[in-house]
Amino acid sequence: MIARPSFYLFTILFLFAITFDGLAQKSEKLWYDKPAANWNEALPLGNGFIGAMVFGAPQEERLQLNESTIWAGGPNNTVDSAALPYIKTLRNLIAQKKFSEAQQLANTRLGPKGNSGMPYQLAGNLYIHFPAFANISGYSRDLNINDATASVGFNADGINYKREYFTSFPENALILRLTADKAGSITCRLRLESPLKQKLYTSNNNIVMSGISSDHENQKGQVKFNVLTRVKNTGGTIVADSTGISVDHADTLLIYLTIATNFVNYHDLSGNSFSRATELMDHAFNKDFSTLLKRHKDFYQSYFSRVKLDLGTSDAAGMPTNVRISKFSGGHDPQLPELYFQFGRYLLICSSQPNSQPANLQGIWNGDLKGAWDSKYTININTEMNYWPSEPTHLSELGNPLFNMVRDVSLSGTETARVMYGARGWALHHNTDIWRITGIVDGAFWGLWPTSNAWLCQHLWEHYLYTGDKTFLKEYYPVMKGAAQFFIDVLQKDPRQNWLVVSPSVSPEHEYQPGVSVTAGATMDNQLVFGLFTAVARAAGVLQSDKAFADSVLQYRDRLPPMQIGRYGQLQEWLDDVDSTTDHHRHVSHLYGLFPGNQISPFRNPELFSAVKNSLIYRGDISTGWSMAWKINLWARLLDGNHAYKLITDQLSPANDKGFESGGTYPNLFDAHPPFQIDGNFGCTSGITEMLMQSHDGAVYLLPAIPDAWKQGSVTGLMARGGFTIDMCWANHQVTRLIVHSALGGNCRLRLNRPLHDKKLKNASAPNPNVFYAVSTLKTPIIKPHKQTLTPTLPKSYLYDMATEKGKTYTIIDGR
Ligand code: FUC
């Protein structure tokens, strides 16, 4: 603990200043020497509510615009009122192992009812057309993720032009300033366009677009929206005509743009989009550029600057970002993973703000009327992955839109639980949208998965583990309990062992016989329900309420199947030992227990840990962007930093549409499934965090999976469960300096690969008394005869306890 200033302390602080200094100085920019030739080269700006993709062509600027509540259709749910008898028949068929028959029945009787969810849609485009420039030189276009601004600069015919853009957080407005180094040089024409049904109206310095979202799959488009553009010039003239605004020989031009809709919540569209957009506009328009910029930066940096990472640098950092991506695997560019890590944090700040919609499959950025998979919420992995980095990378408040969505579906999902499953509580399947649909979408093969509620609830519990926020836990306890009640009612006895299993279900999107996915007791389901029941029982304990329910939930938990290790030494994905060693399917659902779950530990259940490793080796590396991102996290949890790094290299390879299950990175650093899907960005940011620090397994594990490529570095501001903030430097793979800030107090147990000599530390002995670090005992796994090793070779580690007090900071340095 820092007690009082002393010469010694100043020396230490000086050393820290030196070591952490590089963190603040580095420029964190994506930059290019050409305008965007397509959408995947354009640069994303956003404030959680509006999004814009900046193309930056000198001749014609294009800003593709989004607003997070513009979705096709209107309030609806997709509950299948005829489902229950088929669900019951399916349970019997599965219990009798008539799997093909079960699949056949599911495919014909349990498809989507009405629709498969509505697509998220673009608002339109703002185009700014300039007169022909003859000679253009010195072009550059960048996105500065330190302050969430973009800029374009070039010289044309001897005049230097500059464009500066940001989507203001406090004003909820897009701001664009056009300047030139010669007076009277800004001549251009602005117009708004949208492929949605819309009307345009212009007056003085305003363009007003009024539009409505599309009809889709029998749902009438009901989201009304307004895009407002208003300009302010110095010098020159402005004239509005019926389709746009012309600016003639201005010195500077400021463009303000706001977007609003009639969306209030998933069942209420009574807002007035025009008055909302106008109010935002009036609020922004009375501020000048520098005031707007300062307010924007201050807001953004209050999130972004909480974490700094330094993995080193090289000359490669000076190259355009697209060139860096193409050279990454063969070169030395340690700052690119660092940029990618921070870009993930940037994207989360810009696509998920308190009371916004949660980040969807494309965050908030979608240029189409119907993007890939409708650019909605796929909740059998993708939406959850979007939020993996929020807690550990110190963006805890940004989980709020996800939690709001969970509350919504816990309401809309009660009908699904009651009508489709005859159960209490709430449930939904593998997708939802802004209308919070809860039925089966796409078809039973993919969609007959009722366990997403358990996964979503894990995010609620984890938020409590990081923040210790009991008010939050109390508010969300009924949501968690409702999900547990659903499973108490739907769990079926497996006829062979009397285990309780989710039936019917699937192991997300995967088959265990050609064309057969429907099953009972998939490993992921068992793990998710185990995690849910554990969290509900612990939450009840924390809140000192509902003891009878907590006890009963634990009794049900005891009757879930154990994990099983199959004939290839693999963790079985299904109750039967049917996995194949040549299966490279993108989903690795059964490995949930290792990550993001915490049931499988190298120290507590080494056989399961080894079985996960075998499974992951069989699955291979190359896959969709998000799948590779998941594997980075898994290899980090397998304590293999070099393998995790190898996957980062795969992810940071140029996206070239090599195939559906072959991801990479687009020039604008967006993840390629392909196509663009933002989960890979967030998943990789989370994976890098897991390589640096983990806190799920009874201790804060420092540098658990640091690759040879990152021999030295430093990071500040990572969050560990129990409210600990970690700053550290390392060299030669070993922590050399460590600062722990304790927000909640309690025992801080540290695990690291070197001994530490500091009188604040005591050698630790299990179990960790800090309740945020409680771990669960699993049933002994069933292990089938196999030839592979189940004995992991673990790196040597040292375990220490440090007593901490709430609000205090502790410094531990290299004692050698
Ligand atoms: C699931 C995945 C696909 C894709 C889609 C959005 O269906 O299996 O790869 O990510 O979600």
Side-chain angles (χ1 to χ4, degrees), residues 353-403:
Q353 282 285 320
N355 295 319
S356 74
Q357 291 301 307
N360 66 45
L361 284 172
Q362 299 190 184
I364 200 174
W365 300 279
N366 167 39
D368 297 308
L369 290 176
K370 189 180 179 322
W373 291 281
D374 295 334
S375 191
K376 56 180 187 280
Y377 300 103
T378 307
I379 46 177
N380 63 13
I381 171 67
N382 316 87
T383 303
E384 289 88 347
M385 184 178 281
N386 286 359
Y387 285 89
W388 288 350
S390 63
E391 302 290 348
T393 77
H394 216 142
L395 299 171
S396 181
E397 304 94 313
L398 304 189
N400 163 279
L402 179 71
F403 308 147

Side-chain angles (χ1 to χ4, degrees), residues 361 372-373 378 380-382 430-431 442 446 509 585-587 624 626 660 673 677 679:
L361 284 172
W373 291 281
T378 307
N380 63 13
I381 171 67
N382 316 87
H430 90 304
N431 273 205
D442 294 344
W446 303 271
E509 307 194 23
H585 197 270
R586 61 195 179 281
H587 285 262
T624 62
W626 64 258
F660 176 70
H673 177 295
Q677 211 169 274
D679 40 21

Side-chain angles (χ1 to χ4, degrees), residues 225-278:
F225 68 93
N226 279 98
V227 185
L228 265 52
T229 306
R230 197 179 287 176
V231 301
K232 201 185 262 179
N233 59 316
T234 54
T237 56
I238 298 179
V239 180
D241 59 35
S242 60
T243 57
I245 291 177
S246 297
V247 178
D248 198 27
H249 290 100
D251 302 333
T252 62
L253 188 70
L254 256 184
I255 302 169
Y256 298 72
L257 185 143
T258 61
I259 317 178
T261 73
N262 59 344
F263 182 88
V264 177
N265 62 43
Y266 69 99
H267 51 75
D268 181 355
L269 294 178
S270 66
N272 183 325
S273 56
F274 181 71
S275 55
R276 286 171 162 184
T278 307

Side-chain angles (χ1 to χ4, degrees), residues 335-357:
Q335 213 184 325
L336 189 61
E338 190 185 305
L339 184 69
Y340 196 88
F341 166 87
Q342 290 291 24
F343 185 59
R345 297 184 66 244
Y346 167 83
L347 292 174
L348 196 63
I349 300 167
C350 296
S351 63
S352 183
Q353 282 285 320
N355 295 319
S356 74
Q357 291 301 307

